[in-house]
Amino acid sequence: MATQTPDVNRVVDLDGTVDERADPDLPASTVEELYRQQVLARTFDEKAVGLHRQGRIGTYAPVRGQEAAQVGAAAALTAEDFCFPTYRDHALYLGRGVPLENVVVHLLGEGNYVDGTDGPGRRTFPPTIPIATQIPHAVGVSRAADYRDDDRAALVSFGDGATSEGDFHEGLNFAGVFDAPTVFFCQNNQWAISVPRERQTASATIAQKARAYGFEGVRVDGNDVLAVYGAVSDALDAAKAGEGPRLIEAVTYRRGAHTTTDDPSQYRDDSEVERWAERDPLDRTREYLEDAHGWTAADERDLRAWADERVAEAVVAAEERTGLDVDDIFEHVYARTPQRLRRQRERVVDEPEVDR
């Protein structure tokens, strides 16, 4: 296995130059869809920050700067693959077909993103707030799929801070030992709240940590949606072919606050944010579209107008909901509901409101 270096794999360089050898050469319609999802996520992100300031949603984790990483990863998954996102993965959920309204409803405290979207064949899981706890879950689900000879893999998304948690190491170790078809997708956004990446680990890269567990690690430019798509596609194909797990480090940057209750100016310099703003993932995708597929200023205006309208509609629809039925708290707890929960359910649902 080759020694990892700080270099990252790219398709579109920082100056807009395209590496034709690495270019997946996707149809124009596909690249346009990747860009459309990034613009929608960015537009929603800006709206959500405002909604929190108005007291209309709860604490929000901004996604600005990480759109390409999430959209590219989602696009590589098939409908049958499993996906375990984390709490900042709004764009990943959109890429998995979760309605934007559901994302808003979750932020209103009325749902968990995937309510009613996947039915009994659920493949995309609700977000996890405790750091890294979704990693062993993904390994277990992918291992079960392997036992059944299903042609499926699991992708689990997490931040660089999660690599300091025991769940990360336990999950990677188990996956390496049993060749579980798991793709570990680390969005290295450089900061775990106020702790920089260099305080998280003495390793030169996060990707190289995979070597300790006996499988490959790949470092990719997380602001290059085509590079992310290619890296995740290759990893999923390898996992399904019985080649075991893979760790992908998508190098990106969290340009906003950790959450809307955080003040990043207290622990990082504005100059750092400005440097990463020059690597904006939306700019990179748009430049590729302009050069390769003739994207125009009119196309851009139409897309931005559509995104504004779509976000406004989703917020209105979410706020018009009357709330969850109390019966919903019993859903998705057990595959086969035990008798004691059935009795509780009967009492809660059947008794008058005054008796609860």
Side-chain angles (χ1 to χ4, degrees):
M1 183 180 298
T3 302
Q4 298 295 321
T5 71
D7 295 333
V8 297
N9 297 329
R10 291 192 181 98
V11 172
V12 184
D13 212 336
L14 302 181
D15 62 0
T17 304
V18 176
D19 183 347
E20 295 184 358
R21 296 170 301 174
D23 189 350
D25 196 26
L26 299 174
S29 59
T30 301
V31 183
E32 288 173 8
E33 177 63 17
L34 296 176
Y35 184 50
R36 185 187 71 86
Q37 291 181 16
Q38 290 180 72
V39 169
L40 180 61
R42 174 71 58 87
T43 304
F44 171 69
D45 192 68
E46 294 167 351
K47 179 68 172 179
V49 172
L51 290 173
H52 177 264
R53 289 172 178 167
Q54 296 167 13
R56 294 163 65 185
I57 63 172
T59 301
Y60 175 72
V63 71
R64 187 181 187 90
Q66 298 179 225
E67 297 93 344
Q70 296 181 22
V71 169
L77 290 160
T78 71
E80 293 301 309
D81 290 326
F82 298 99
C83 183
F84 289 80
T86 187
Y87 56 82
R88 198 183 307 278
D89 286 341
H90 320 301
L92 183 56
Y93 277 108
L94 295 178
R96 287 292 279 172
V98 173
L100 181 55
E101 179 184 336
N102 284 34
V103 178
V104 183
V105 167
H106 170 78
L107 295 169
L108 289 168
E110 303 254 354
N112 63 14
Y113 283 71
V114 295
D115 286 332
T117 58
D118 283 337
R122 189 177 297 268
R123 296 286 179 268
T124 303
F125 287 74
T128 56
I129 304 302
I131 305 302
T133 55
Q134 73 275 24
I135 295 176
H137 300 166
V139 176
V141 166
S142 67
R143 180 64 174 145
D146 190 41
Y147 270 129
R148 297 171 179 170
D149 290 324
D150 291 342
D151 187 25
R152 297 172 185 158
L155 179 139
V156 55
S157 173
F158 50 92
D160 48 293
T163 66
S164 294
E165 297 287 341
D167 301 75
F168 169 81
H169 301 281
E170 292 158 5
L172 269 69
N173 186 61
F174 191 97
V177 169
F178 293 101
D179 283 332
T182 316
V183 176
F184 300 97
F185 185 66
C186 177
Q187 296 177 62
N188 176 9
N189 68 14
Q190 312 304 317
W191 291 92
I193 310 182
S194 60
V195 180
R197 191 211 67 88
E198 57 267 23
R199 293 289 300 276
Q200 291 286 334
T201 178
S203 299
T205 71
I206 289 173
Q208 72 185 64
K209 292 178 183 291
R211 297 176 61 201
Y213 303 107
F215 54 90
E216 184 179 355
V218 177
R219 207 161 188 252
V220 64
D221 186 338
N223 288 5
D224 181 346
V225 70
L226 298 177
V228 173
Y229 171 82
V232 175
S233 295
D234 289 347
L236 290 167
D237 289 344
K240 294 173 191 177
E243 297 176 21
R246 190 171 296 180
L247 170 62
I248 297 174
E249 177 188 0
V251 182
T252 183
Y253 193 77
R254 190 198 79 211
R255 286 170 56 189
H258 170 68
T259 70
T260 43
T261 61
D262 170 47
D263 181 5
S265 67
Q266 299 299 308
Y267 54 80
R268 69 184 187 189
D269 295 331
D270 290 343
S271 59
E272 176 183 299
V273 181
E274 292 169 1
R275 286 197 304 273
W276 279 93
E278 295 173 358
R279 307 177 185 182
D280 186 88
L282 275 67
D283 291 346
R284 193 95 61 90
T285 311
R286 186 182 63 253
E287 290 168 3
Y288 178 90
L289 274 171
E290 290 171 349
D291 294 342
H293 299 295
W295 186 258
T296 67
D299 293 327
E300 185 72 15
R301 285 194 301 272
D302 290 346
L303 176 58
R304 298 287 176 162
W306 169 84
D308 287 340
E309 181 179 1
R310 181 70 193 90
V311 169
E313 291 173 348
V315 171
V316 170
E319 291 185 328
E320 286 180 347
R321 289 197 186 184
T322 58
L324 294 173
D325 191 303
V326 69
D327 192 36
D328 292 339
I329 65 174
F330 296 96
E331 294 293 335
H332 310 302
V333 179
Y334 292 92
R336 188 173 297 173
T337 305
Q339 182 63 35
R340 59 183 177 82
L341 270 189
R342 286 201 294 270
R343 289 195 299 266
Q344 290 180 23
R345 186 177 202 161
E346 290 169 1
R347 289 186 59 190
V348 170
V349 173
D350 295 340
E351 289 185 3
E353 181 73 27
V354 69
D355 294 333
R356 290 178 188 168

